[in-house]
């Protein structure tokens, strides 16, 4: 594809011209390059472990994973005893998401993925993948954090789907080119910085006169948005991205992210399957509520 308006010398690397047909030839470099593949399906046989609880979560403490562990901890804190769960670690950097057992739970090979082995009404275990689908499934199963009033329910879904559509621009777009790519490309960074700042402004204006995402009630929409945009606002994402994007200026987002971050269940949920940062905040696997006290990496000394 030659383009006379934008000559190849201006491309990156200079002179690069996309071939007629793209071929999977070599790694592009950068974080995650070694696990990226243009095909789906398993790469190896691996049976997933099953613990003692009805809910089996296969995940990692990334923003998409944390949405679900926050929800599970909130359900338990609200007294839903059947929300007890085993959280198993899926190390995506090592390709665990391409094991045959994981692919059976999520054919898309991405965390988080969950099996409900005691579904409502009985019957075969239910597989649930896509973080928003898991949040809705749990909210419906336990009748919690999703308003039944159609107006409020719709507003919850509005923001839940907003998050699912918007975060790829933050993570896959901005985060990738600002932090993970093997070179800094001004055009790409500018394009995604612009979009992420616009998204932060959307949130900031909304949160100016709404306590929570869906209004006066804390819902699964907050649980979905917080791990992405709350972490960015807290300068806890993509190296110096918080300063680069001047996140302090989003005062209403700051108020909201602090308020949500103080919830004990959010603190606990943020520790589950976490494999970086302060060892006392990393609980690689969670099989019992007491694990938060006894099995963090500082206590078991494997940090
Ligand atoms: N839309 C999916 C996105 C899940 C996703 O992108 N997960 C990432 C980690 S945050 C992953 O598993 N990546 C592994 C890979 O791409 O191979 C969801 O919300 O569940």
């Amino acid at each position: 594809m030659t383009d006379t308006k934008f000559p190849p010398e201006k491309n990156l690397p200079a002179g690069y011209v996309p071939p007629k047909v793209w071929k999977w030839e070599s790694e592009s470099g950068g974080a995650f390059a070694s696990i990226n593949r243009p095909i789906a399906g398993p790469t190896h046989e691996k049976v997933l472990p099953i613990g003692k609880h009805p809910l089996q979560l296969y995940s990692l403490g990334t923003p998409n994973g944390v949405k679900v562990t926050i929800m599970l901890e909130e359900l338990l804190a609200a007294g839903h005893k059947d929300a007890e769960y085993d959280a198993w670690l899926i190390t995506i950097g090592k390709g665990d998401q391409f094991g045959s057992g994981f692919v059976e739970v999520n054919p898309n090979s991405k965390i988080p993925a969950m099996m409900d082995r005691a579904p409502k009404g009985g019957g075969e275990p239910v597989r649930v993948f896509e973080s928003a689908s898991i949040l809705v499934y749990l909210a419906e199963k336990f009748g919690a954090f999703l308003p039944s009033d159609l107006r409020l329910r719709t507003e919850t879904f509005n923001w839940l789907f907003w998050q699912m559509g918007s975060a790829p621009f933050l993570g896959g777009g901005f985060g990738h080119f600002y932090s993970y790519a093997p070179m800094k490309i001004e055009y790409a960074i500018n394009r995604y910085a612009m979009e992420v700042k616009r998204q932060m402004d959307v949130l900031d204006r909304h949160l100016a006169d709404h306590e929570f995402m869906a209004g006066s009630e804390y819902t699964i929409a907050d649980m979905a948005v917080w791990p992405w945009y709350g972490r960015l606002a807290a300068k806890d994402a993509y190296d110096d991205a918080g300063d680069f994007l001047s996140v302090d200026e989003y005062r209403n987002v700051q108020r909201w992210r602090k308020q949500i971050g103080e919830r004990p269940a959010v603190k606990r949920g943020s520790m589950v399957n976490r494999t970086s940062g302060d060892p006392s905040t990393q609980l690689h696997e969670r099989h019992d509520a007491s694990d938060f006290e006894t099995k963090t990496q500082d206590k078991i000394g494997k940090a």
Side-chain angles (χ1 to χ4, degrees), residues 35-36 62-65 67 92 97-98 108-112 129-132 164 228:
I35 56 165
N36 289 343
T62 67
N64 287 322
K67 292 176 198 172
I92 60 176
Q97 69 277 31
F98 303 115
N108 195 38
S109 285
K110 308 251 179 212
I111 65 90
F129 61 89
E130 283 292 320
S131 55
M164 294 299 280
W228 282 100

Side-chain angles (χ1 to χ4, degrees), residues 22-29 33 36:
W22 182 85
K23 286 201 178 65
W24 183 25
E25 273 161 358
S26 62
E27 287 180 2
S28 58
N36 289 343

Side-chain angles (χ1 to χ4, degrees), residues 271-302:
M271 292 167 68
V272 179
N273 296 146
R274 185 180 165 103
T275 55
S276 62
D278 178 349
S280 69
T281 66
Q282 295 182 37
L283 182 59
H284 286 192
E285 286 192 357
R286 183 244 187 246
H287 303 289
D288 191 89
S290 67
D291 291 350
F292 291 100
E293 312 309 322
T294 58
K295 301 226 165 82
T296 49
Q297 285 301 103
D298 57 326
K299 305 242 165 75
I300 61 172
K302 284 193 202 147

Side-chain angles (χ1 to χ4, degrees), residues 135-147:
L135 290 178
V136 172
Y137 179 87
L138 291 170
E140 289 186 332
K141 175 166 180 167
F142 294 100
F145 304 113
L146 177 58

